[in-house]
Amino acid sequence: MRFAPTLDPASSPVPAAMSAPADTSVAPVAPSLGRRPLPAWVGAFGLTLGQGALALGLALFLALPLVAILAKSVTDANGDWAGLSVVLGIIGADGFLGMVGRSLTVGVVTMMLVVPCAYAFAYALTRSRIPGKGLLRTIALLPLLAPSLLPGIALVYLLGNQGLLKGLFGGATIYGFWGIVVGEAFYTFPHALMILLTGLTLADGRLYDAARAMGAGPLRTFMTVTLPGTRYAVFSACCVVFTLTVTDFGVPKVVGGDYNVLAMEAYKAVVGQQNFPKGAAIGILLLLPALLTFVLDRRLRARQGAQLSGRAQPYAAGANCRRDAAFLLLAGAMAGFLLLIIGVAVWASFVKMWPYNLSLSLRSYDFDNMDGGGWLAWRNSLELAFCTAVIGTVVVFLGAWMMEKVPARSASSRGLRGVLGMLALMPMAVPGLVLGLGYIFFFNGAANPLNVLYGTMPLLVLCTVVHFYTSAHLTAATALNALDPEFEAASASLKVPRLTTFVRVTLPMCLPAALDVARYLFVSAMTTVSAVVFLYSPSTVLAAVAVLNMDDAGFIGPAAAMCSVIMASSAVAALLLHLASRALVARSQAWRRPAAL
């Protein structure tokens, strides 16, 4: 028989009544390796101190930079108070409202293109019997491994002035509106797909049996059962796609041409014009749509309720050759488009001189002889990703555990937990570009004692952890809430410290989720551009930023090569973490497997 992880390695599965001596005068041994347990108030004080430290860290590295960017937007170039005159002056400038309209148009069109395609792809994976679902899912998630500049670079090679397929479209250029839309569609597709996959997976098979018994056809069943059941997932996907598109400047930087958008204008204001008040004002404007979609999404989620009851039955798609053939063709076409974008970028990185000499060469990978940061940028990105994955996973899981598994016994503790909950969800509503601008204004201030962090790797790590904190926190909280509260109750009855229970029981049981968080943070740190583009120094330049710099210098081949290196590094790290996850889970959760008879 296999036993669950025990609260004390010294404890025995033999019942205490059978093993304890008959003399009741013998004091029981405390289940803490023979040491006397600490008073309860010491543990409570330590947990309160930990919660306070987490709240202070989030306030220092999230809330105060946002306050700094707000303060910068109401001052002029000399630092004097200007009120709303800076923002109103920018809004009233010639062409600014048109630029806002272009940004919103790109966001809406991309959303209308991506969400239906991602919904159809997710439907094919969850509601049909098409072959190769694992391969299709892997291909659909590949864009997560690449920086947002990769689709723009691939589109230049395909449809640019010297692109392979330029003649197929009558000489139409890819630079402008449609180039941005297609590039953003590639970049945001996997984000929408993951949300919709979750929504479509939560299906009660009884509803479909009832619809079939009432004579409803496939279309009517979809309109009355499937679509209403996934409406919140659809709205969340729309919010994510719209926000990512409006706040991204990677794709517009490469293929935007004269079609200027807000995110690109903020980047040019800070990097090109050194106009920090203008950059701050545009950052505040970029924050508004993200906040609006975040608030609407949270309100709808609060009204959603449970989709599956305890009596729910899993849905299993029936046999339908025509349906499966149609969805296989549709999903194959989408996967082919994604592979085309990635394949062209990788192939072009090996071309000797585009388009005059298409022979293969490693010339573009000689990064040290080109602008951008050389191989140092790649090594820095690996260091950033590793530190972000390790530190971020520890902080996220400890923070989620203190919020979800430690009871609040006082009004102050409950208030602190409320503040923590609000701060933990804030990063989801803050675009990376806005967070990076806030870090400039807060940590680059001469009066700030933390100014010594500016341009260093620790600040890049902290910024990246904060930027992706919410998604990691929600993953950890979901895993922790899935555990039975009886584990904590048993721990309390045995007077085992809560932290010991967390290390020996809770964390091993949540190990798959912890490794998922580490993988997510590693890949995100390798590919992020917007949050760190203003914070690096010559010694801490990153690979994704090097892609931007090489594209600026006209080295588009080396930029494609660096994108390929980033993708390969992310894929290898994700594979290693996956293999480690399987090995560690098999070892730490062997008690879950049924005993051999």
Side-chain angles (χ1 to χ4, degrees):
M1 179 179 180
R2 300 183 186 274
F3 291 91
T6 57
L7 296 173
D8 186 357
S11 62
S12 168
V14 181
M18 299 174 60
S19 59
D23 186 2
T24 58
S25 64
V26 178
V29 178
S32 58
L33 299 179
R35 293 175 298 184
R36 191 170 183 176
L38 295 173
W41 68 267
V42 175
F45 176 76
L47 290 172
T48 303
L49 187 64
Q51 290 177 337
L54 179 61
L56 178 62
L58 288 174
L60 189 62
F61 295 101
L62 174 63
L64 291 183
L66 295 180
V67 173
I69 195 173
L70 179 62
K72 195 69 175 182
S73 66
V74 293
T75 58
D76 58 21
N78 298 322
D80 299 326
W81 172 262
L84 295 177
S85 60
V86 176
V87 177
L88 295 177
I90 294 173
I91 295 176
D94 292 339
F96 184 81
L97 292 180
M99 182 169 54
V100 173
R102 289 192 293 272
S103 297
L104 296 178
T105 302
V106 167
V108 171
V109 173
T110 304
M111 178 186 69
M112 294 176 64
L113 174 65
V114 169
V115 174
C117 291
Y119 195 100
F121 202 102
Y123 194 95
L125 294 180
T126 57
R127 303 298 177 87
S128 71
R129 293 187 176 183
I130 61 174
K133 289 184 178 181
L135 178 61
L136 289 172
R137 180 189 175 96
T138 301
I139 294 173
L141 297 180
L142 283 178
L144 294 175
L145 306 179
S148 62
L149 291 93
L150 181 137
I153 293 172
L155 289 174
V156 169
Y157 279 111
L158 281 173
L159 300 168
N161 294 331
Q162 297 175 327
L164 290 174
L165 306 178
K166 181 182 178 182
L168 297 179
F169 297 91
T173 180
I174 194 62
Y175 301 100
F177 173 78
W178 286 111
I180 298 175
V181 168
V182 175
E184 297 291 0
F186 174 91
Y187 170 59
T188 58
F189 180 83
H191 298 274
L193 177 65
M194 290 188 295
I195 297 173
L196 295 171
L197 277 173
T198 302
L200 284 167
T201 301
L202 300 176
D204 189 348
R206 297 175 303 167
L207 298 177
Y208 292 88
D209 293 339
R212 193 179 304 110
M214 296 178 66
L219 181 59
R220 184 171 180 83
T221 301
F222 175 80
M223 298 300 296
T224 58
V225 179
T226 304
L227 193 58
T230 57
R231 60 187 182 275
Y232 297 107
V234 170
F235 183 80
S236 295
C238 290
C239 291
V240 168
V241 172
F242 179 82
T243 302
L244 288 176
T245 301
V246 171
T247 59
D248 174 62
F249 71 92
V251 174
K253 173 69 179 62
V254 180
V255 294
D258 296 332
Y259 197 89
N260 205 12
V261 293
L262 274 178
M264 191 61 204
E265 185 67 18
Y267 173 76
K268 291 192 296 185
V270 174
V271 175
Q273 305 168 9
Q274 297 293 302
N275 190 342
F276 294 107
K278 181 178 180 180
I282 297 177
I284 293 297
L285 294 176
L286 285 173
L287 189 59
L288 294 179
L291 283 174
L292 178 62
T293 55
F294 174 75
V295 171
L296 291 175
D297 181 58
R298 296 298 300 177
R299 288 178 64 89
L300 287 177
R301 285 179 182 270
R303 296 172 52 187
Q304 179 177 0
Q307 295 189 36
L308 291 180
S309 66
R311 299 181 179 179
Q313 298 177 0
Y315 172 81
N320 190 322
C321 295
R322 296 177 63 183
R323 177 204 63 200
D324 293 346
F327 276 109
L328 180 60
L329 181 63
L330 184 63
M334 296 182 197
F337 167 75
L338 299 177
L339 286 178
L340 175 65
I341 296 294
I342 295 172
V344 166
V346 173
W347 171 62
S349 69
F350 291 100
V351 171
K352 190 170 185 179
M353 182 175 292
W354 184 275
Y356 308 106
N357 187 349
L358 300 182
S359 59
L360 300 183
S361 170
L362 294 177
R363 177 180 180 181
S364 295
Y365 288 85
D366 188 13
F367 299 130
D368 289 332
N369 291 324
M370 300 170 187
D371 293 339
W375 284 104
L376 173 65
W378 175 68
R379 293 192 294 270
N380 286 338
S381 283
L382 288 180
E383 180 183 353
L384 171 67
F386 177 79
C387 294
T388 300
V390 174
I391 296 174
T393 302
V394 172
V395 172
V396 164
F397 256 87
L398 279 175
W401 172 72
M402 288 188 292
M403 292 176 60
E404 303 296 335
K405 290 297 182 179
V406 178
R409 303 186 182 277
S410 64
S412 60
S413 180
R414 288 190 292 271
L416 182 58
R417 177 171 296 186
V419 173
L420 266 178
M422 180 187 66
L423 290 174
L425 295 178
M426 277 182 62
M428 183 177 288
V430 180
L433 185 66
V434 177
L435 184 64
L437 286 171
Y439 271 54
I440 290 180
F441 305 138
F442 182 69
F443 289 100
N444 201 27
N448 190 343
L450 296 176
N451 175 264
V452 294
L453 291 175
Y454 192 79
T456 64
M457 184 60 70
L459 186 62
L460 292 174
V461 172
L462 290 169
C463 179
T464 307
V465 170
V466 170
H467 184 204
F468 300 106
Y469 188 90
T470 300
S471 296
H473 169 80
L474 292 177
T475 301
T478 301
L480 289 168
N481 286 327
L483 299 182
D484 196 320
E486 292 296 329
F487 290 109
E488 281 73 26
S491 170
S493 66
L494 294 173
K495 301 186 184 307
V496 176
R498 292 187 182 274
L499 189 58
T500 302
T501 306
F502 171 74
V503 173
R504 295 181 179 175
V505 178
T506 306
L507 188 57
M509 295 181 71
C510 294
L511 190 59
L515 293 174
D516 285 343
V517 168
R519 181 166 56 244
Y520 166 74
L521 291 175
F522 186 97
V523 173
S524 299
M526 284 294 299
T527 59
T528 185
V529 179
S530 58
V532 297
V533 70
F534 305 123
L535 305 179
Y536 70 94
S537 65
S539 62
T540 58
V541 61
L542 302 173
V545 177
V547 175
L548 186 67
N549 293 336
M550 286 187 285
D551 179 73
D552 276 339
F555 298 125
I556 188 170
M562 185 63 82
C563 286
S564 302
V565 170
I566 293 173
M567 286 192 64
S569 303
S570 301
V572 169
L575 179 61
L576 291 177
L577 284 172
H578 174 70
L579 296 177
S581 174
R582 295 183 60 180
L584 291 174
V585 168
R587 179 180 178 183
S588 66
Q589 300 193 10
W591 58 274
R592 288 181 179 268
R593 296 194 295 269
L597 297 178

